[in-house]
C-alpha cells in the first residue's frame, strides 16, 4: 500500500496526498476530505523510512536516560516529549547503555532509525560514543551536564541548582520569612 494507491482511490495526484499530510492548508477542504476518507478506507500509514530515503529529516528524536525510575529523569522525558510534540516530532526513549558494547549497539539502533538528534542524560557516556554520533551526522545535547568538562565540542544544558536555591531563599526573605 503506497501513496499512489491512496491517490488513485481519492481520484487525485500523489502530490495532493502528500500535501494533505505536509501542507493541508493548501488543499481544498472537499479534496482534503476525499483524501482523508481514502486513507481511512485503505488503512494507509505513511512510511517514515520512505520520507528519510527521499532526503527529508526524520521526525524522531531520541533521549537516553540513565534511570527511568528516577522522578527527575521522568520529568525531563516528559518535558522533552512535550517539546517534541509541539514541533511535530516523536520522542524515542532509550535507557542509557552501561558499557561500550551496549553503547555501540544503541548507536547502531539510533543511526539505523536516522534520528534527528539525541538528548543524553548521562555524565559518564564515553567520548567514543559522542564522536560516533557526530560522525553519523546525528547532533546531540548533553542534559544536566556541563560540556566544558572534558567535551569542549559538545552542546549541553545544565540546571542552575545553586542559583535556584539562592533565588528561593531571596524570595522567602523578601516575603518576611526569617527561619
Amino acid at each position: 500500500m503506497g501513496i499512489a494507491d491512496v491517490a488513485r482511490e481519492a481520484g487525485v495526484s500523489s502530490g495532493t496526498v502528500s500535501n494533505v499530510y505536509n501542507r493541508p492548508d493548501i488543499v481544498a477542504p472537499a479534496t482534503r476530505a476525499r483524501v482523508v476518507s481514502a486513507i481511512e478506507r485503505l488503512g494507509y500509514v505513511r512510511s517514515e523510512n520512505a520520507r528519510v530515503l527521499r532526503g527529508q529529516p526524520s521526525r524522531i528524536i531520541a533521549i537516553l536516560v540513565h534511570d527511568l525510575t528516577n522522578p527527575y529523569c521522568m520529568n525531563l522525558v516528559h518535558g522533552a516529549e512535550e517539546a517534541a510534540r509541539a514541533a511535530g516530532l516523536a520522542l524515542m526513549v532509550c535507557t542509557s547503555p552501561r558499557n561500550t558494547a551496549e553503547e555501540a549497539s544503541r548507536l547502531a539502533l539510533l543511526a539505523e532509525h536516522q534520528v534527528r538528534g539525541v538528548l543524553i542524560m548521562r555524565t559518564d557516556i564515553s567520548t567514543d560514543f559522542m564522536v560516533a554520533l557526530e560522525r553519523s551526522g546525528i547532533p546531540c545535547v548533553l542534559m544536566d551536564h556541563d560540556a566544558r568538562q572534558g567535551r569542549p565540542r559538545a552542546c549541553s544544558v545544565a540546571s542552575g541548582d545553586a542559583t535556584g536555591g539562592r533565588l528561593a531563599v531571596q524570595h522567602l526573605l523578601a516575603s518576611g520569612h526569617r527561619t
Side-chain angles (χ1 to χ4, degrees):
M1 175 77 54
I3 199 168
D5 299 309
V6 173
R8 195 170 23 262
E9 178 77 13
V12 298
S13 71
S14 295
T16 299
V17 176
S18 176
N19 285 334
V20 167
Y21 275 112
N22 300 308
R23 301 180 316 176
D25 52 304
I26 69 166
V27 180
T31 304
R32 190 170 54 237
R34 271 198 341 266
V35 171
V36 169
S37 177
I39 288 168
E40 290 171 356
R41 276 194 312 276
L42 296 173
Y44 173 75
V45 177
R46 72 176 168 176
S47 169
E48 184 68 17
N49 293 337
R51 289 182 78 251
V52 172
L53 284 173
R54 287 192 309 273
Q56 296 174 340
S58 170
R59 292 178 303 153
I60 299 171
I61 59 173
I63 183 168
L64 289 171
V65 296
H66 54 74
D67 182 4
L68 287 173
T69 63
N70 182 323
Y72 178 68
C73 290
M74 287 311 300
N75 283 337
L76 287 176
V77 168
H78 180 71
E81 186 172 33
E82 283 182 359
R85 188 179 319 113
L89 304 172
L91 185 70
M92 175 192 294
V93 179
C94 303
T95 55
S96 182
R98 298 285 183 212
N99 61 52
T100 53
E102 287 182 42
E103 279 183 353
S105 172
R106 197 61 42 83
L107 175 63
L109 175 70
L110 297 175
E112 286 170 14
H113 282 279
Q114 297 183 356
V115 297
R116 186 175 284 193
V118 180
L119 304 171
I120 300 173
M121 187 181 176
R122 181 171 153 211
T123 57
D124 62 340
I125 197 85
S126 78
T127 302
D128 291 344
F129 187 80
M130 301 288 294
V131 168
L133 278 172
E134 184 179 310
R135 210 175 286 136
S136 296
I138 301 172
C140 62
V141 175
L142 298 172
M143 297 174 60
D144 207 23
H145 181 75
D146 186 349
R148 293 171 296 185
Q149 298 173 354
R151 292 189 178 88
R153 294 174 51 184
C155 293
S156 67
V157 293
S159 58
D161 295 336
T163 302
R166 182 176 43 77
L167 292 172
V169 169
Q170 287 174 347
H171 170 73
L172 291 174
L173 291 172
S175 299
H177 300 282
R178 297 290 174 247
T179 59

